Amino acid sequence: MLSDILSRVGGLSWTVAFFVIALGIIVAVHEYGHYIIGRWSGIHAEVFSLGFGPVLFKRRDKRGTQWQLAAVPLGGYVKFLGDSNAAAGQDAGAMAGLSAEERRHTMHGAPLWARAATVAAGPIFNFILALAVFVGMIQWQGIATGNPTIGKLPAYPFDGPSLLVGDRILSIAGQPTPDLEALAAVADKLPAAPAVTYQVERAGQTVDVHGPHPMPPLVKGVQPTSAAMKAGIQAGDVVLQAGGQPVYTFDQLRETVGGSGGKPVDLTIWREGKQINLSLTPERRDMPLANGGFETRWLLGLSGGLMIEPELRHAGALESVKLAAQQGWLVAKSSLSGLWHVVTGAISRCNISGPIGMAEVLGDAARSGPMDFLSILATLSLGIGLINLFPIPVLDGGHLVFHVYEALTGRAPSARILGLLMTVGLAVVLSFMAFALTNDLSC
């Protein structure tokens, strides 16, 4: 009993720690965007705060900005000269006592271009953070050369001589595989079988060897907060049986789980020479489709792929940026599509998570390894940047709408209208937060 309690406390501490770390990084980058572009635009920052509430640490720099760490690590803010509060409201009394030159250094007295650039910088810096993380991951991991040459082979329970690292796969079951794309296409269409014949080029010779199906029931990844993650399944595990039947391909595993109707599925797992018997209950999930829609499936939270890990090469700088931008675009498109489908009722509201759900995802990702954690960090940074651009008063997007109105009409919205819109915007944001938190507790 005591060990179970300690395990839960330790797991909670781990989850909270990595949630605070990730949120702190994302908020710091977002607010630094506001700060540095404001500074370059001639707007003076009085306070740069990570967190809210009682101040734990503070230091004033040579420019007069107070840098502080506060007790509640759930956000942050930059308070510019002339602001009445952290939400960038105007302090009319303080503004009245400033000279024309001093007013130029406030958020409310600066030129329109300076105010708009300062506001937009927060979300843009979130996008830059996501892009930088994706670029770093691509640089670290490398990308496939496109050749059907084996770079790495996972441990797999297959008897007899088989594939080796360095083999160039010429064909599978008699079907040519001139490149990696062709290999993947052949593997995807190959019928399930306990073993297939590979023709490989090895040490300058062409030889035939037997091996597992090229799309085996090998766990390549485990989704955070999934049934598989909760059951302790790890990347590298091999599913030998599902529902009492042997499985030779990942598609067989997917079909068995998908046809379960949500009932428990018995699995036999192979891990480092040992067999583990588990019973997992699939969870209903809405998965994005290539056409932009969604499909509801029963899932354990496992991902598969080719048995081999292909030969890799180092990606160039421009190539890495291009690939990272493509990845970011897919994440953004999928996120916005998912939000729209939730709003229209096309998919479950449980697809939107609040702080508890995000903390669990980050904690599980950190347990899976640094690459998984960084991937979720980048995705979350991109999502927060997108949300902040929504045209809702109190968010950066709402302020940008006010600036557009000012640019078109030559005057800012009246203080009364601005106050009303800010109240409405705050109500919308708080309602959304309550909705997300409710999902965390009920889904």
Side-chain angles (χ1 to χ4, degrees), residues 16-305:
V16 170
F18 278 96
F19 175 65
V20 170
I21 290 170
L23 188 62
I25 293 171
I26 292 170
V27 169
V29 169
H30 180 96
E31 297 303 332
Y32 187 77
H34 289 315
Y35 162 79
I36 193 63
I37 299 302
R39 198 184 91 187
W40 290 347
S41 302
I43 303 173
H44 174 64
E46 293 187 315
V47 179
F48 184 108
S49 179
L50 285 182
F52 299 99
V55 176
L56 303 177
F57 168 82
K58 62 182 179 180
R59 181 184 68 85
R60 191 171 299 277
D61 66 17
K62 62 182 181 181
R63 294 184 178 85
T65 300
Q66 177 172 299
W67 298 77
Q68 65 184 41
L69 184 66
V72 184
L74 296 178
Y77 63 90
V78 177
K79 181 179 179 295
F80 291 103
L81 179 65
D83 291 349
S84 61
N85 49 46
Q90 183 176 165
D91 187 340
M95 291 291 292
L98 298 177
S99 66
E101 182 179 352
E102 290 171 329
R103 287 176 62 87
R104 168 58 183 85
H105 298 297
T106 70
M107 188 60 152
H108 311 282
L112 180 59
W113 67 265
R115 286 179 277 141
T118 301
V119 169
I124 289 174
F125 269 54
N126 280 136
F127 299 150
I128 292 173
L129 171 62
L131 185 69
V133 171
F134 286 143
V135 167
M137 292 174 64
I138 292 168
Q139 288 279 305
W140 177 261
Q141 294 174 321
I143 59 176
T145 61
N147 297 322
T149 302
I150 301 175
K152 289 183 181 179
L153 272 174
Y156 201 89
F158 186 83
D159 294 329
S162 189
L163 298 167
L164 298 176
V165 172
D167 285 350
R168 182 183 178 93
I169 301 175
L170 304 177
S171 69
I172 303 176
Q175 302 182 57
T177 55
D179 53 37
L180 191 60
E181 185 178 355
L183 188 153
V186 169
D188 190 51
K189 297 178 181 178
L190 204 63
V196 298
T197 301
Y198 295 81
Q199 186 178 75
V200 303
E201 181 184 308
R202 178 183 296 171
Q205 297 182 337
T206 299
V207 296
D208 289 340
V209 297
H210 294 291
H213 192 283
M215 287 285 195
L218 170 70
V219 177
K220 290 279 189 168
V222 183
Q223 184 178 355
T225 72
S226 65
M229 176 67 73
K230 295 169 188 173
I233 295 180
Q234 304 170 10
D237 288 350
V238 179
V239 181
L240 301 178
Q241 293 187 4
Q245 299 296 319
V247 291
Y248 306 115
T249 69
F250 198 86
D251 277 345
Q252 285 181 296
L253 173 62
R254 184 184 292 114
E255 290 168 4
T256 300
V257 173
S260 68
K263 295 180 181 179
V265 177
D266 293 330
L267 301 181
T268 299
I269 303 290
W270 181 91
R271 179 187 300 165
E272 298 178 348
K274 298 179 181 179
Q275 291 189 14
I276 305 169
N277 295 315
L278 298 170
S279 181
L280 279 70
T281 301
E283 299 171 341
R284 190 169 180 171
R285 297 288 179 95
D286 297 304
M287 303 300 294
L289 298 174
N291 62 7
F294 279 79
E295 179 182 56
T296 301
R297 303 178 193 166
W298 291 102
L299 301 172
L300 296 179
L302 301 174
S303 60

